[in-house]
């Protein structure tokens, strides 16, 4: 299920107490409320950010107002590495999803730590490598899977298998709006609405009190097929 979990574009927990202590000593603390855009395309960050607490999402948009999330980051993660190392402007929007505490480490300090701290250097490489795997997976997902299949993978990656409701439906750990589903799987809102209706008609999904539930048997059938290398 490791690949399926990346369908949510949410990164795994990389929090390291030793690294956290180091960053808090050299960085500038920044605190933001939920839904706050703290970095926009065209800006020069002048360093990197470290997530101390909270959750951030990073996305692109186009002239028609479409949005595509690249990834969602959690405590222990860095971002801004690319713009820092090649001295470029960011091309992403960065926004908090919850109350978030960041530490900003300026470029000079980043360069010093890359030379002097193996702990910091390894953490930077690990973060960047994880992001590359997420983006590689997402390219394959968008290229080879239909919008409906991408929705199925997303829902199956977020089901709460310990919470089965009668007569055999899984709740989701995360509630998504139609807009958020479109941002994650790469589909227009009208397309998402149509595909959700089809999934409901097929018995894969149902909506109760505006919240989606996945049929337990359909979940087992789908994940079993994915485990054997199947693809829709």
């Amino acid at each position: 299920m490791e690949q399926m979990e990346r369908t949510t574009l949410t990164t795994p927990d990389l929090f390291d107490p030793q690294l956290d202590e180091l960053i808090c000593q050299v960085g500038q603390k920044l605190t933001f409320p939920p839904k706050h855009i703290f970095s926009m395309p065209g800006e020069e960050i002048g360093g990197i950010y470290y997530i101390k607490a909270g959750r951030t999402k990073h996305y692109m948009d186009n002239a028609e107002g479409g949005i595509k999330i690249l990834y969602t980051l959690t405590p222990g993660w860095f971002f801004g590495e690319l713009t820092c190392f090649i001295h470029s402007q960011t091309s992403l929007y960065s926004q908090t999803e919850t109350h978030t505490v960041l530490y900003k480490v300026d470029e000079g300090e980043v360069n010093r730590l890359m030379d002097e701290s193996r702990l910091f250097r390894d953490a930077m490489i690990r973060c960047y490598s994880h992001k590359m795997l997420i983006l590689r997976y997402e390219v394959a997902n968008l290229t080879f899977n239909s919008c409906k299949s991408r929705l199925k993978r997303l829902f199956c990656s977020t089901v709460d298998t310990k919470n089965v409701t009668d007569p055999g439906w899984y709740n989701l750990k995360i509630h998504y709006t139609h807009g958020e589903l479109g941002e994650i799987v790469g589909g227009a809102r009208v397309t998402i609405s149509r595909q959700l209706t089809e999934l409901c008609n097929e018995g894969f999904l149902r909506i109760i009190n505006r919240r989606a539930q996945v049929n337990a048997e359909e979940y087992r059938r789908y994940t079993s097929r994915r485990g054997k290398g199947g693809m829709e």
Side-chain angles (χ1 to χ4, degrees):
M1 292 289 288
E2 182 181 354
Q3 279 193 332
M4 187 171 290
E5 288 169 359
R6 287 201 290 270
T7 307
T8 64
L9 304 183
T10 300
T11 53
D13 182 9
L14 290 184
F15 186 81
D16 181 321
Q18 287 184 297
L19 178 67
D20 186 77
E21 182 179 0
L22 173 63
I23 298 302
C24 290
Q25 292 174 356
V26 300
Q28 174 190 2
K29 183 178 180 180
L30 303 169
T31 303
F32 298 110
K35 308 299 182 184
H36 177 76
I37 297 176
F38 56 90
S39 180
M40 299 180 66
E43 293 182 355
E44 294 185 3
I45 296 177
I48 62 171
Y49 288 103
Y50 169 81
I51 303 176
K52 167 76 172 178
R55 180 180 170 111
T56 63
K57 71 176 181 180
H58 306 266
Y59 60 92
M60 303 178 296
D61 68 352
N62 61 18
E64 288 73 40
I67 290 176
K68 182 67 183 77
I69 294 177
L70 295 185
Y71 36 73
T72 300
L73 302 180
T74 49
W77 279 78
F78 293 104
F79 61 94
E81 313 98 305
L82 181 63
T83 59
C84 179
F85 291 136
I86 66 174
H87 306 289
S88 68
Q89 299 174 336
T90 181
S91 59
L92 303 179
Y93 290 90
S94 296
Q95 178 179 346
T96 60
E97 291 196 326
T98 64
H99 179 82
T100 299
V101 178
L102 306 176
Y103 275 80
K104 183 176 181 181
V105 183
D106 67 36
E107 183 178 342
E109 196 66 36
V110 170
N111 292 333
R112 182 185 71 80
L113 289 173
M114 288 293 288
D115 288 336
E116 300 177 4
S117 172
R118 179 174 180 176
L119 174 67
F120 179 82
R121 183 169 59 251
D122 287 350
M124 290 287 288
I125 294 172
R126 186 166 57 249
C127 282
Y128 196 75
S129 297
H130 273 296
K131 289 177 186 175
M132 289 299 296
L133 283 176
I134 291 170
L135 295 179
R136 184 184 299 173
Y137 168 77
E138 185 65 2
V139 168
N141 192 27
L142 292 172
T143 302
F144 300 118
N145 297 314
S146 67
C147 183
K148 183 189 292 186
S149 181
R150 297 198 298 272
L151 282 171
K152 282 186 175 182
R153 293 158 73 95
L154 174 62
F155 286 133
C156 285
S157 71
T158 57
V159 298
D160 184 358
T161 55
K162 297 180 180 179
N163 187 4
V164 182
T165 60
D166 187 65
W169 294 84
Y170 289 133
N171 289 323
L172 300 184
K173 296 177 182 178
I174 304 173
H175 171 64
Y176 297 107
T177 65
H178 286 200
E180 289 169 336
L181 288 172
E183 292 173 7
I184 293 173
V185 305
R189 188 185 297 265
V190 63
T191 302
I192 297 299
S193 297
R194 184 175 65 252
Q195 298 295 346
L196 291 178
T197 298
E198 290 186 13
L199 289 173
C200 287
N201 291 339
E202 294 168 3
F204 181 89
L205 198 71
R206 73 176 183 180
I207 309 297
I208 303 293
N209 295 326
R210 298 186 178 183
R211 290 183 177 269
Q213 294 179 330
V214 173
N215 181 272
E217 183 59 33
E218 291 292 330
Y219 168 80
R220 286 190 289 269
R221 183 179 298 114
Y222 185 81
T223 54
S224 175
R225 184 167 63 251
R226 292 297 308 164
K228 295 176 181 178
M231 179 175 290
E232 295 188 357

